[in-house]
Amino acid sequence: MAGAAASRYPNPAIVSSVGVRKMLRVVSRKALGRLALVITLSLFATPKALAQGRDVAGAKDFPGIGRFGGSAITGYVVKDFDAARLQAAPFQDGKPADARRLEGRITRIAYRTNPGPSILEVARNFETQLGKAGFEKLLACDTDACGGIPFTEAVDTLPVPQMWVDGFNYHYFAGRRADGGRETYASVLVSENNKDITAQLIVAELGTIEDKMVNAAQMAKGLGETGHIALYGIYFDTDKAVLKPESRPTLEQIGKLLGSQPQLNVFIVGHTDNQGAYDYNLDLSQRRAEAIAAELVKSYRIAQPRLRTAGLGFLAPVGSNATEAGRALNRRVELVAP
């Protein structure tokens, strides 16, 4: 993951000169080339959540697991389908002994806790909570027992400054839960940065990818029969309004539909779940709809007047926002016939 290796070291923007010299003595050769970039970035960027002690927008704890008291969420990414790496055994001779690639719904949450607790205290609290949630231990280890820096470089972490990992001082836990034939894995990496404790929880709910592709013919049918059709094949990062490359197949089908019916005009309507503030979601859904329209004009030569945009936030749910399955249904884009 981008920025993962660089996140193994303390934030050089706020350590003393003595701390910098100490850090440089222990930084691995492999990471030296990346350290200059981390220093530059950290001098100019302080995450808003850290400065204000609040969670990043739209973030929430994973149900049934929660957080260590006094922590703030500094990074939050949820993908309906993605892959995550989990280590189920310590490294042997500097190499993975049981590395697992997990595919399904992936949740990544990074936390920061103010000075006071130890790495071990935070780690043990997470482990206890995961045990209560039904996760059986696969691996629990500290720095040397895990495999040192090479181990952390093989573990997924959110980019700096969302998550910082000191490769010489960390604790790792991985567990597995089987419920009704469905497998779920969880890992927690706990470290320290300038006396603040940093932790990242990754939960992987295994499953096959859902076919969310809707072709031009199905779009035309939906618009003709009900006046609208929901599209789930258009992707954005959490809290972002920039189209991801995976959206290309669905955008191509929208372009094909509009290209084959030059008389057809449509509304592009963005929808969200109910996580986050009302005004925030309303604005986010509008910006996402506008991003889709702009791409259709730019890449598929659809005339701008044929496309109108709107954002409804969480005002028009098609599923219950009380469940994750319902929230996933509510995160969508719709084409609507005028």
Side-chain angles (χ1 to χ4, degrees), residues 159-178:
V160 174
Q162 296 177 49
M163 179 62 185
W164 292 85
V165 183
D166 180 351
F168 296 88
N169 191 17
Y170 63 87
H171 186 91
Y172 183 81
F173 174 87
R176 174 185 175 274
R177 178 178 70 190

Side-chain angles (χ1 to χ4, degrees), residues 189-211:
L189 180 63
V190 185
S191 189
E192 186 175 9
N193 175 40
N194 296 290
K195 298 183 180 180
D196 288 342
I197 302 300
T198 59
Q200 180 174 279
L201 169 70
I202 297 180
V203 179
E205 302 167 87
L206 303 195
T208 57
I209 190 169
E210 180 181 352
D211 185 3

Side-chain angles (χ1 to χ4, degrees), residues 75-91:
Y76 183 77
V77 177
V78 180
K79 303 287 186 181
D80 289 334
F81 190 85
D82 201 359
R85 292 175 293 173
L86 178 141
Q87 302 299 327
F91 271 30

Side-chain angles (χ1 to χ4, degrees), residues 319-331:
S320 171
N321 275 309
T323 68
E324 184 50 49
R327 290 191 291 270
L329 288 174
N330 294 334
R331 296 189 294 268

Side-chain angles (χ1 to χ4, degrees), residues 129-143:
Q129 193 61 29
L130 285 166
K132 292 178 180 179
F135 287 88
E136 297 181 358
K137 182 178 72 175
L138 295 173
L139 173 63
C141 58
D142 292 307
T143 309

